[in-house]
Amino acid sequence: MTHSHHAISARSAGHLACERCGAVFPLSQEGQPCTRCDHNLRSRDMRSMQKVWAWWLVGVMCYIPANLEPMLRTRTLVHTSEDTIVAGAIALMHHGDYGVAAIILIASVGIPVAKFAAVAYLALSVRGVGKMAPGRRQHLYELVEYIGRWSMIDVFVVAILSALVQLNVAASISPGPAALTFALSVIFTMLAAQSFDSRLIWDTLGDDVQNDAPDADLQKKERP
Amino acid sequence: MTDNATNGQMIVCPHCDALYRVRMPEFGERAVCKRCHTVLIAPRAHAMIRIVALSVTNLILVIAALFLPFLQISRAGFSNATSLMDAVLAFATGPLFVLSLAVGALIVVVPMLRMLLSIYVLAPMAFDRKPLPASKRAFRLFEALKPWSMAEIFVLGCGVALVKVSALAQVHLGSAFWMMCVLVVVVLLQDNMMCRWSIWNALERRK
Ligand SMILES: [Zn+2]
Ligand SMILES: [Zn+2]
């Protein structure tokens, strides 16, 4: 990475930043509370990996029953059906609603599985597994953090449908047990990603010899 | 917020731990981390008052959307309308009631709480007053809750539900749906205004 030569980590310059408010202190303050926000100062979260793996594991454990049990129970005059996540998406495809089926499949299967893989890869990469450059891994991490929440959409759909489709004998929809396990799986995976200390990604780079910290880059901001 | 006192102060990229000296950007410009491209400082003119105004707007929208109908369906002479409140209470009976609490928290309580916290923290500073007591804790909570505020995901969920149900019954969008759509845009605008570095600095300086 060529642009890494412009940066020096706070840690090797003898500083640390509060993870919560960003205030900068000398490294000797590690373990003390931040004078600005009271958060315990630490240059790196050493227990980060344990927390990541613990949340990751419960997340995976919840995701399995979430796919085996029904998400929705639909009852109409003619029939009653119980749909798992995948079966629900397939039913939508049979109706010709390919776009929505794709949203459901991506949000409920694609994203969660990719997320488990990405979090595991990031955690392993800190230990030296894989060859992806730190910049790319940082982007992967940000992607996981940003996209992870969107998996919750299926739970909301179940909530909306269950509240909406209560038409006496004509049709009714009620939630299945997978709604709970799926929601838990999303929440645990979000916690796994949040526990990850992304600064560890960059520690594998090492630092270049430089005496002073450079100015932050200035970039014109495009009008939103 | 562009006073020269901040120039030369140190700043650390929260994502990659790179250390820099602050060179305060002008309004509309931003300081970016050289190695991971995280935005470090992004000051906006009149940011505080604008954020507060957007928070008030959001709060009104959520409260109205809570009770107005979201979606309405009809089939074979039966019809039903759903408000945000009904969606939250969908799991309230039976063993899935914990899910009701979670859904209520994610789409109503957390977004509302975040708006209230941002008003509490920023309104005094927008009018050049001292921050109220416990402002730092309030702002901390405001930031921690960010990923758990899922109103925008709920709105897309409505779209999906709409299509799913259309095979089963006739569906109409209610006024609350459009309010939530506006809310999504307002939240995006607000995130764009928010420069956490500047706010923490202001909280520190004006205490
Ligand atoms: Zn702090
Ligand atoms: Zn950085």
Side-chain angles (χ1 to χ4, degrees):
Chain A
M1 297 296 285
T2 47
H3 52 255
S4 70
H5 292 285
H6 302 293
I8 183 169
S9 82
R11 186 188 176 87
S12 43
H15 295 278
L16 65 82
C18 173
E19 290 157 294
R20 198 164 269 161
C21 73
V24 183
F25 297 93
L27 204 51
S28 57
Q29 289 290 101
E30 183 148 26
Q32 306 288 319
C34 170
T35 53
R36 185 152 86 175
C37 76
D38 254 356
H39 186 64
N40 245 9
L41 295 171
R42 44 186 189 190
S43 176
R44 296 293 180 273
D45 184 358
M46 288 311 171
R47 285 175 52 236
S48 160
M49 289 304 131
Q50 291 167 37
K51 285 185 275 182
V52 171
W53 284 116
W55 289 124
W56 185 87
L57 197 66
V58 278
V60 172
M61 273 159 48
C62 289
Y63 187 64
I64 295 165
N67 274 281
L68 300 177
E69 288 170 335
M71 190 86 170
L72 274 182
R73 295 199 173 95
T74 313
R75 199 178 47 75
T76 61
L77 280 174
V78 270
H79 75 293
T80 304
S81 66
E82 288 197 331
D83 280 341
T84 59
I85 293 170
V86 176
I90 292 171
L92 278 170
M93 269 190 242
H94 284 309
H95 283 121
D97 295 321
Y98 294 103
V100 180
I103 290 181
I104 295 284
L105 279 178
I106 291 168
S108 317
V109 183
I111 292 179
V113 171
K115 218 165 50 176
F116 290 133
V119 171
Y121 174 76
L122 286 169
L124 290 172
S125 78
V126 170
R127 302 233 183 270
V129 178
K131 293 195 192 72
M132 208 190 263
R136 307 260 323 263
R137 279 188 274 154
Q138 176 76 43
H139 282 149
L140 181 63
Y141 175 65
E142 278 163 24
L143 198 68
V144 167
E145 272 222 298
Y146 178 75
I147 282 185
R149 319 155 57 236
W150 285 91
S151 298
M152 210 55 138
I153 192 170
D154 219 17
V155 177
F156 294 151
V157 171
V158 173
I160 296 161
L161 290 178
S162 309
L164 185 64
V165 187
Q166 296 299 335
L167 298 173
N168 211 331
V169 290
S172 79
I173 288 181
S174 54
L180 180 63
T181 43
F182 187 81
L184 287 174
S185 169
V186 176
I187 290 170
F188 291 143
T189 323
M190 281 175 70
L191 290 170
Q194 282 176 23
S195 311
F196 184 73
D197 186 347
S198 67
R199 295 173 298 188
L200 293 169
I201 291 177
W202 298 86
D203 284 344
T204 48
L205 260 187
D207 281 296
D208 8 274
V209 199
Q210 203 165 19
N211 296 323
D212 201 21
D215 290 336
D217 247 347
L218 272 181
Q219 204 180 35
K220 275 274 182 217
K221 189 179 195 176
E222 66 282 8
R223 285 261 149 235
Chain B
M1 258 181 285
T2 43
D3 46 334
N4 285 323
T6 48
N7 277 335
Q9 188 186 333
M10 274 184 285
I11 185 170
V12 174
C13 172
H15 287 144
C16 75
D17 203 40
L19 181 72
Y20 300 99
R21 291 208 174 277
V22 173
R23 211 174 51 202
M24 200 60 196
E26 297 295 314
F27 287 136
E29 283 182 333
R30 56 190 189 173
V32 178
C33 173
K34 279 178 185 170
R35 65 176 181 187
C36 79
H37 308 294
T38 300
V39 176
L40 302 176
I41 313 171
R44 303 295 295 256
H46 314 296
M48 304 235 183
I49 188 85
R50 286 193 191 170
I51 293 170
V52 170
L54 293 172
S55 288
V56 173
T57 315
N58 268 349
L59 215 52
I60 295 168
L61 285 170
V62 176
I63 292 169
L66 209 49
F67 302 103
L68 293 170
F70 221 100
L71 296 171
Q72 269 174 300
I73 60 167
S74 48
R75 172 185 164 123
F78 296 105
S79 76
N80 188 27
T82 297
S83 65
L84 210 53
M85 207 62 170
D86 297 322
V88 169
L89 295 174
F91 305 112
T93 52
L96 294 175
F97 74 95
V98 272
L99 210 48
S100 254
L101 296 180
V103 170
L106 296 173
I107 63 177
V108 180
V109 179
V110 172
M112 277 174 76
L113 184 60
R114 282 191 86 230
M115 295 310 130
L116 289 171
L117 287 170
S118 68
I119 294 169
Y120 182 87
V121 173
L122 299 178
M125 289 200 285
F127 297 106
D128 284 321
R129 300 273 161 78
K130 274 186 175 180
L132 293 168
S135 275
K136 288 176 185 174
R137 283 177 67 186
F139 188 60
R140 219 161 81 178
L141 186 61
F142 170 83
E143 291 208 290
L145 287 176
K146 189 177 179 191
W148 305 102
S149 172
M150 299 193 176
E152 75 275 25
I153 302 174
F154 185 78
V155 173
L156 187 61
C158 276
V160 173
L162 195 79
V163 179
K164 270 199 154 183
V165 154
S166 59
L168 210 61
Q170 275 188 301
V171 201
H172 318 278
L173 292 169
S175 45
F177 178 81
W178 302 112
M179 288 185 180
M180 289 296 274
C181 288
V182 175
L183 183 115
V184 171
V185 177
V186 174
V187 169
L188 284 176
L189 283 175
Q190 197 177 33
D191 281 346
N192 203 266
M193 286 275 144
M194 196 74 78
C195 171
R196 65 186 295 269
W197 187 85
S198 307
I199 293 171
W200 273 115
N201 259 10
L203 279 172
E204 174 80 350
R205 222 173 24 247
R206 300 191 194 177
K207 74 180 170 195

